[in-house]
Amino acid sequence: MNFNEILLRAIACNEDAIHTILEMYKPLLLKDSIVNDMFDEDLYQELCITLLNCVRRFEI
């Protein structure tokens, strides 16, 4: 399945597709959640929420 198909399914609230997108972007989300050499769990959660909101609002 290509990214476009996963994105379309995620937009339609398919839980597997949403999980797949979160896993695809997990390394970036983790990297951006490190502040002053410490992992910030709250920031990680906020970044995940932001990603999911972007997916939900994406227009094709």
Side-chain angles (χ1 to χ4, degrees):
M1 180 175 340
N2 66 32
F3 183 77
N4 288 339
E5 293 171 350
I6 296 169
L7 181 60
L8 287 173
R9 290 180 183 192
I11 291 170
C13 298
N14 178 286
E15 288 185 32
D16 290 334
I18 292 169
H19 179 72
T20 300
I21 288 178
L22 283 172
E23 286 299 312
M24 289 173 71
Y25 285 93
K26 188 173 187 174
L28 178 63
L29 297 170
L30 288 171
K31 178 181 144 268
D32 287 344
S33 298
I34 297 173
V35 178
N36 295 329
D37 295 327
M38 293 182 60
F39 178 72
D40 186 333
E41 178 72 28
D42 291 334
L43 178 55
Y44 176 75
Q45 290 177 4
E46 289 297 324
L47 290 171
C48 289
I49 290 167
T50 300
L51 174 61
L52 295 176
N53 284 333
C54 290
V55 167
R56 186 173 53 90
R57 293 181 179 144
F58 192 80
E59 294 181 21
I60 298 177

